[in-house]
């Protein structure tokens, strides 16, 4: 009865829409129900192969699904998506609901006689390979707590063995952040293997733009959202990112060449290097004696992102496709395929088809985006036109649960052409608030914009309603009526979305409109700060220098780090901070301090003055020079607004 009343309000396009209670207004509208019903008819919903693959070899899961930190605080719930049973509710795209049903299965799985995986304990998988004397651990998850829980589970259900080797497939934190939990179980001189460039990429990739990326990552992964049919439905390649502690044990060897072979604890491993694809440093590898291939994060259970919504350096779609072509030949004949996310695949024919059609999705994306670009279409125009061919769209692993053609085609365009589309009107567009004020005035004022948006909402034209309301809010930030309707609009878009990340971002936008921006910490604290090299530290300081605070002042300061056996000179002039290795002439002061103490002072709020007073640090020259430098630094905002001015 409540739904019928709400539909009448929609049909009328009246102010009843704005007067409705939030619970009533968030019921899926008729247009959303129709869109989700249509999605079912377009997909092979009777295909159950993924369910078979995902459950094959299930051993056990945790009796208590909650994984906690040392203080008892929950960092992960392995049963968080147990609600995804039966048919999809009206609030979730049926394709995404099905995907969550497969992806949400958590526990220990036996893949082969020598390989086990723990899945669903984090956004990624951790793989345990039985060596002659211990476990070879592949990708020890994001958090130390989830990695410890995975190790405890396999120790209890299979065998408690030392960690005889560790492999990091690539440089993203969800594949190495839990390593610190396994140090006490590592055999003496256990090798740690990673692709060339791993160490720098792992620590540095998100350092410069870390605060902005972190804020946007909270939208991408829905970190402030409840999990459920009205909230987050995972992240497309995993059900969410675990909180908890992060760590990094640097590798003892980095692999630089495809074809390299190593014997780790009696197990022969053969590597394929794939730089510039999903991560700056990444590699696939195989166990040729067992006909098993590990495709890292280069092959997934979903389209991946060429440019992540959180922000990152654009990936090369052409190189990604070429890397998969090489993998098809490199791992020819493999009978089992595992990866860093999702579930395995079994059978040489199935694996060959999967890799080929997954490759073709990236190749088609690249080639057709460039073809249309060369005919004069811009990024948004290509995004509106480009779709997968039916033969690829029918494959679940090419569906847009994580990445999407709409987003990725614009990324390919930007990879080649940049953000500018060639139209001079876009050379110097008005800032959002200025442009919105004139836009709203030209239409006839806020009330007129809201009326048009209400009408669009009633027709199910949610993208147009959102565009109108976005202008209204940026023109007048206190327009609560527009905020209320835009939040409801975003929820309808979320309910229709097949893409888990888009759903998270729509719902996060609605949450900000209703409750304001909130700080979240997607990094799990400062666990990786100790690995930050001095050169990167000074680059961070450079992008935090506020020229209005520094004014016309200048400084030349020296830094000596006895624990690093390094010396640096920092120069500030013309609103720019430059760093050079070595102590240069002309310094006003030199600070001698343990590098770890400086990091603690800058990032953890510990007192550097206390270190100087105790003699643990020394300043030679003007003692006020470093205080002036600190006073010129800006502080990032971890909770800046996104959908409001």
């Amino acid at each position: 009865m409540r739904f019928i009343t709400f539909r009448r309000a929609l049909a009328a396009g009246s102010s009843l829409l704005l007067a409705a209670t939030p619970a009533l207004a968030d019921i899926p509208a008729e247009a959303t129900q129709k869109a989700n019903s249509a999605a079912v008819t377009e997909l092979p919903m009777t295909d159950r192969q993924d369910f078979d693959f995902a459950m094959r070899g299930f051993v056990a899961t945790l009796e208590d699904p909650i994984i906690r930190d040392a203080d008892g605080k929950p960092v992960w719930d392995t049963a968080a998506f147990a609600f995804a049973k039966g048919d999809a509710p009206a609030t979730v795209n049926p394709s995404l609901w099905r995907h969550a049903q497969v992806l949400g299965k958590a526990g220990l799985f036996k893949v082969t006689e020598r390989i086990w995986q723990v899945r669903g304990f984090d956004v990624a998988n951790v793989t345990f390979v039985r060596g002659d004397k211990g476990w070879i651990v592949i990708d020890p998850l994001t958090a130390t707590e989830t990695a410890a829980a995975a190790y405890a589970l396999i120790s209890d259900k299979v065998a408690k063995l030392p960690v005889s080797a560790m492999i990091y497939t690539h440089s993203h934190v969800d594949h190495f952040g839990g390593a610190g939990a396994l140090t006490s179980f590592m055999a003496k001189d256990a090798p740690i293997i990673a692709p060339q460039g791993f160490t720098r990429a792992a620590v540095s990739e998100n350092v410069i733009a870390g605060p902005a990326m972190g804020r946007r990552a909270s939208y991408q992964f829905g970190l402030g959202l409840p999990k459920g049919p009205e909230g987050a439905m995972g992240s497309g390649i995993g059900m969410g990112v675990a909180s908890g502690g992060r760590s990094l044990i640097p590798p003892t060897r980095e692999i630089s060449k495809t074809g390299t072979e190593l014997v780790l604890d009696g197990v022969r491993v053969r590597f394929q290097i794939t730089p510039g694809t999903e991560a700056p440093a990444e590699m696939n590898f195989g166990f040729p004696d067992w006909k098993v291939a590990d495709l890292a994060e280069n092959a997934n259970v979903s389209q991946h992102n060429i440019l992540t919504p959180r922000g990152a350096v654009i990936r090369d779609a052409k190189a990604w496709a070429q890397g998969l072509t090489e993998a098809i030949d490199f791992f020819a004949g493999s009978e089992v395929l595992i990866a860093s996310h999702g579930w395995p695949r079994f059978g040489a024919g199935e694996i060959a088809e999967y890799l080929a059609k997954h490759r073709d999705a990236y190749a088609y994306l690249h080639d057709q985006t460039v073809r249309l670009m060369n005919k004069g279409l811009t990024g948004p125009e290509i995004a509106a036109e480009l779709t997968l061919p039916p033969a690829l769209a029918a494959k679940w692993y090419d569906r847009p649960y994580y990445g999407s053609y709409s987003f990725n085609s614009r990324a390919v365009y930007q990879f080649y052409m940049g953000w500018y589309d060639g139209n001079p009107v876009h050379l110097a567009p008005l800032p959002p608030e200025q442009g919105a004020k004139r836009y709203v005035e030209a239409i006839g004022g806020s009330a007129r914009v809201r009326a048009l948006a209400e009408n669009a909402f009633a027709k199910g034209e949610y993208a147009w309603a959102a565009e109108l309301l976005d202008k209204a809010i940026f023109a007048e930030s206190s327009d609560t009526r527009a905020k209320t309707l835009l939040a409801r609009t975003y929820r309808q878009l979320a309910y229709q979305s097949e893409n888990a990340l888009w759903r998270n971002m729509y719902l996060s936008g609605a949450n900000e409109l209703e409750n304001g921006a909130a700080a979240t910490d997607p990094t799990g604290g400062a666990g990786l700060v100790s690995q930050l090299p001095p050169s990167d530290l000074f680059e961070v300081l450079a992008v935090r220098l506020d020229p209005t605070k520094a004014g016309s002042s200048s400084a030349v300061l020296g830094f000596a780090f006895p624990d690093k056996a390094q010396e640096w000179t920092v120069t500030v002039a013309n609103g720019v901070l430059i760093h050079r290795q070595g102590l240069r002439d002309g310094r006003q002061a030199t600070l001698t301090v343990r590098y770890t103490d400086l990091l603690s002072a800058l990032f953890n709020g510990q007192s550097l003055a206390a270190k100087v007073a105790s003699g643990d640090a020394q300043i030679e020259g003007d003692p006020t020079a470093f205080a002036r430098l600190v006073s010129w630094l800006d502080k990032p905002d971890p909770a800046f607004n996104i959908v409001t001015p």
Side-chain angles (χ1 to χ4, degrees), residues 222-228 230-233 507:
L223 298 183
L225 302 174
K227 296 176 175 64
E230 290 80 39
M233 288 297 300
L507 293 177

Side-chain angles (χ1 to χ4, degrees), residues 545-554 572 575 631-632:
L545 182 72
D546 185 341
T548 62
K549 294 178 180 178
S552 59
S553 300
S554 62
V572 177
S631 73
W632 298 339

Side-chain angles (χ1 to χ4, degrees), residues 27 475 599 603 617 643:
I27 291 175
L599 290 177
F603 294 101
V643 296

